[in-house]
Amino acid sequence: MDDILLMLPGPTTVAPRVLKATSDNIVNHRSAIFGEIFTETTELMSEIFKTKNQSYLITGSGTSAMEAAIANILNPNDKILNVVGGKFGQRFMHIANEMGADTQELTVEWGDAVSPEQIKEALDKDENIKAVTVVHNETSTGVSAPIEEIAKVMKNYDALFIVDAVSSLGGDRVEVDKFGIDICVTGSQKCLAAPPGMAAITLSEDAWKVIDKVDSKTYYLDMKKYKKAGSGTPPETPYTPSVSLIYALAEALKIIKEEGLENRIARHEQAAKATRNAIKALNLELFPKEEVSSTTVTAVKMPKGITDSDFRGTMRNKYKVELAGGQDHLKGNIFRIGHMGNISYKQLAITFSAMEMTLKGLGFNIDMGASLAAVNEAYL
Ligand SMILES: *Cc1c(COP(=O)(O)O)cnc(C)c1O
């Protein structure tokens, strides 16, 4: 198991230090000892979100924080604008539907990004929109949305700005306070390089003003309860959290701090560039428009004449490199290379070496070494 290289847009391989942290024994989650670890973790989380506001930890995957974002701000039939250009944008809309919202879909072609003008237009058309959801990094299509520019538009409207930064926080630029994001959510198993199972959410004062006036649509994810428990002595969560996963998350966040967030983002940018150039060197085609392509995951059109199982199966079984496939209608039509978390030169060199051998073995006329040269070029 250990020898499979995960090149996925989550879950990502974690550092030995992070794994080791999970082996510490369990402490009482309502004790001062845990309170200290908990405070340290939420403070590190806020630093990485770049916000002065409190962050809250949820035991659950990233989707739990998406659900918390929606369930705490809506009254029945409230209008919410959902930008949908992929699987995760769609998920936000489905959650909002489930919660009884009157959802307005802003459809974006899969592979393209929403523009700030499109958001402005939608908000000008309907002054009753209470919130806008945007997925920063649409993992299913490998597209990055211009959240900083969208945030500038959002400043002129009362609607809350909700951002899914699950596959971007810790790998791409997300500055919650500076941009003016009201609710930002993330998950542990992507760029943060912690084990799966924890999510985090941060909420602005404007968001709290709305939350305080709404009966939450959820028991477990009621953020008022998280706020109350989190501001107690010792600070805690309303229900038993995954103590071990919080140990691991704390360690992963410390590693981010040691690396430096700016350095870490630059490392992700470098990996993204190396990956795109290597793909082009193999004459393969990127799925998204290059100018909106993601910093943390690269989506590539499946080369004509081979199946997903031939390609990714050979990569995994013969060369021990695990890539992600496409989702929904993109299944079989694209593959995705995650370069988030701890990925750097070493992993990309192995990945492209394996990809060249795989394609050659499947009968493609491959210029052996071409993609490696492109990777090397990016790291010289
Ligand atoms: C992974 C991911 C999520 C959450 O997925 P979970 O499986 O619930 O952790 C949400 N949004 C995006 C953009 C993601 O990449």
Side-chain angles (χ1 to χ4, degrees):
M1 228 168 76
D2 274 353
D3 65 346
I4 293 195
L5 172 61
L6 293 189
M7 295 299 290
L8 300 176
T12 54
T13 309
V14 311
R17 260 173 73 183
V18 172
L19 277 184
K20 198 159 158 271
T22 61
S23 69
D24 283 351
N25 213 333
I26 307 304
V27 295
N28 178 4
H29 65 288
R30 309 218 181 275
S31 68
I33 293 179
F34 187 72
E36 261 176 50
I37 297 164
F38 186 69
T39 301
E40 185 183 23
T41 314
T42 53
E43 283 177 2
L44 282 168
M45 213 52 250
S46 287
E47 266 183 56
I48 292 164
F49 273 126
K50 294 210 164 214
T51 179
K52 60 175 180 19
N53 295 318
Q54 179 74 36
S55 298
Y56 298 93
L57 303 180
I58 298 170
T59 295
S61 75
T63 306
S64 69
M66 294 172 80
E67 190 155 329
I70 304 283
N72 285 277
I73 59 155
L74 290 178
N75 287 313
N77 302 318
D78 275 352
K79 271 193 188 164
I80 182 160
L81 179 72
N82 301 109
V83 175
V84 179
K87 180 102 189 151
F88 293 101
Q90 214 169 45
R91 184 172 299 180
F92 246 154
M93 187 175 70
H94 290 159
I95 293 169
N97 277 331
E98 198 73 30
M99 301 287 162
D102 177 359
T103 54
Q104 312 286 309
E105 177 173 355
L106 200 173
T107 315
V108 179
E109 199 186 331
W110 289 39
D112 203 352
V114 69
S115 71
E117 295 73 33
Q118 284 174 292
I119 305 248
K120 181 176 183 307
E121 223 171 84
L123 289 170
D124 282 339
K125 245 193 264 165
D126 192 341
E127 60 180 20
N128 292 322
I129 289 171
K130 191 171 185 181
V132 178
T133 66
V134 176
V135 175
H136 180 203
N137 189 76
E138 183 44 85
T139 319
S140 63
T141 59
V143 165
S144 175
I147 51 168
E148 185 171 9
E149 284 69 35
I150 294 169
K152 283 180 191 150
V153 168
M154 294 294 306
K155 286 209 167 88
N156 302 319
Y157 301 86
D158 287 337
L160 295 177
F161 186 28
I162 306 177
V163 175
D164 168 341
V166 178
S167 63
S168 59
L169 192 81
D172 198 357
R173 237 161 65 78
V174 181
E175 302 195 20
V176 167
D177 287 357
K178 187 170 159 213
F179 295 176
I181 298 169
D182 291 299
I183 304 182
C184 194
V185 300
T186 200
S188 54
Q189 81 278 24
K190 310 261 169 118
C191 306
L192 302 180
M198 292 302 301
I201 183 167
T202 188
L203 308 130
S204 71
E205 274 170 39
D206 285 348
W208 278 113
K209 277 183 206 151
V210 173
I211 294 168
D212 287 336
K213 278 189 259 161
V214 165
D215 284 329
S216 120
K217 304 289 167 300
T218 156
Y219 188 89
Y220 191 73
L221 299 172
D222 183 343
M223 293 316 296
K224 292 189 200 84
K225 293 192 193 120
Y226 279 73
K227 188 181 191 180
K228 185 157 182 270
S231 56
T233 315
E236 45 188 49
T237 50
Y239 318 108
T240 315
S242 174
V243 170
S244 308
L245 289 180
I246 290 177
Y247 294 159
L249 180 61
E251 199 62 29
L253 300 182
K254 281 182 212 164
I255 290 175
I256 295 179
K257 203 169 169 184
E258 285 162 19
E259 180 175 13
L261 192 52
E262 293 303 317
N263 295 337
R264 191 177 179 91
I265 293 167
R267 177 166 60 73
H268 279 78
E269 283 168 348
Q270 195 173 24
K273 185 163 170 246
T275 302
R276 289 196 297 269
N277 288 346
I279 287 298
K280 286 189 273 185
L282 290 173
N283 289 320
L284 300 181
E285 219 182 315
L286 297 171
F287 175 70
K289 294 187 176 161
E290 186 156 4
E291 60 277 17
V292 296
S293 63
S294 159
T295 304
T296 64
V297 56
T298 296
V300 183
K301 291 185 184 164
M302 190 63 75
K304 287 212 168 47
I306 50 171
T307 64
D308 182 59
S309 67
D310 283 342
F311 177 67
R312 284 196 309 122
T314 307
M315 288 287 287
R316 180 198 309 113
N317 301 330
K318 191 161 181 192
Y319 298 112
K320 311 290 178 215
V321 176
E322 179 104 25
L323 303 178
Q327 295 162 295
D328 290 352
H329 68 274
L330 295 177
K331 205 175 178 133
N333 297 327
I334 64 166
F335 65 88
R336 293 171 301 148
I337 306 168
H339 32 77
M340 56 179 73
N342 297 316
I343 301 303
S344 186
Y345 167 71
K346 197 163 64 173
Q347 294 83 0
L348 289 174
I350 293 169
T351 300
F352 281 100
S353 186
M355 199 179 295
E356 289 189 357
M357 291 187 283
T358 298
L359 291 170
K360 185 118 183 161
L362 291 169
F364 281 77
N365 184 13
I366 289 293
D367 179 6
M368 294 293 269
S371 70
L372 285 172
V375 170
N376 295 352
E377 200 62 47
Y379 284 94
L380 262 179

